[in-house]
């Protein structure tokens, strides 16, 4: 859907949610709403700082499609764009990492390699910080 197809009074995220409501299984859509409603509310109220969004399902197993769509709904709400995509990047021996990016970046292998490099570096830094915290007797669950 292009920007010109969005109704003048509609937010892209609302249009995207309407499309998902039509396309998704009813139970999956309800699950999706439970995941994204607190985030959408925080975005609308400008209270994003300190908000922790876990799309891994916590105690319940979430279908990958629901997790991906939740990430795309949040990205649409933040960016106002509906051309976001979920891409899977191989970053280290821990397995692939899924990230949301715009369609142009998703189609650019060199840019995706660059993003994977940033993620690898972040993992390395986190491991280093965990080691420092552990040696200092501090919590390591950051």
């Amino acid at each position: 859907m292009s920007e010109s197809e969005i109704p003048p009074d509609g937010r892209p995220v609302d249009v995207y949610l309407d499309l998902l409501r039509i396309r998704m299984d009813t139970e999956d859509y309800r699950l999706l709403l439970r995941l994204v409603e607190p985030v959408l509310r925080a975005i609308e109220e400008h209270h994003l700082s300190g908000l922790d969004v876990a799309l891994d399902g916590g105690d319940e197993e979430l279908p990958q499609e629901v997790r991906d769509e939740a990430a795309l709904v949040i990205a649409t709400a933040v960016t106002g764009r509906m051309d976001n995509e979920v891409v899977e990047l191989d970053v280290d021996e821990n397995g692939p990492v899924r990230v949301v990016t715009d369609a142009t970046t998703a189609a650019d292998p060199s840019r995706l390699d660059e993003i994977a490099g940033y993620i690898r570096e972040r993992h390395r830094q986190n491991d280093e910080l965990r080691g420092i915290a552990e040696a200092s007797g501090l919590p390591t669950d950051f």
Side-chain angles (χ1 to χ4, degrees):
M1 175 172 276
S2 71
E3 189 78 22
S4 63
E5 295 176 283
I6 298 173
D9 59 341
R11 298 180 313 166
V13 69
D14 295 329
V15 173
Y16 191 67
L17 283 169
D18 284 343
L19 293 171
L20 289 176
R21 184 177 42 80
I22 294 166
R23 195 187 85 210
M24 290 179 80
D25 171 77
T26 303
E27 279 307 308
D28 285 347
Y29 184 74
R30 285 185 184 141
L31 184 57
L32 171 86
L33 286 179
R34 276 191 304 178
L35 286 171
V36 300
E37 280 179 337
V39 178
L40 297 179
R41 197 172 315 108
I43 290 169
E44 195 169 293
E45 296 171 358
H46 304 287
H47 292 109
L48 280 177
S49 64
L51 182 67
D52 188 17
V53 181
L55 297 179
D56 60 5
D59 294 337
E60 61 183 300
E61 184 62 31
L62 292 176
Q64 188 64 52
E65 179 190 11
V66 173
R67 288 188 291 210
D68 288 351
E69 290 298 351
L72 290 169
V73 167
I74 293 166
T76 301
V78 170
T79 66
R81 299 175 59 146
M82 294 180 59
D83 69 338
N84 300 302
E85 294 182 27
V86 175
V87 293
E88 195 170 89
L89 303 173
D90 287 318
V91 295
D92 57 27
E93 64 278 349
N94 293 330
V97 173
R98 299 174 79 77
V99 297
V100 176
T101 187
D102 62 275
T104 304
T105 301
D108 183 350
S110 64
R111 184 71 177 111
L112 293 177
D113 286 342
E114 187 179 337
I115 293 169
Y118 289 131
I119 294 171
R120 278 186 212 99
E121 177 60 17
R122 182 60 187 244
H123 284 184
R124 188 197 63 73
Q125 290 172 355
N126 284 347
D127 289 343
E128 188 175 316
L129 289 172
R130 266 191 198 87
I132 293 168
E134 189 174 285
S136 303
L138 297 170
T140 60
D141 60 345
F142 51 89

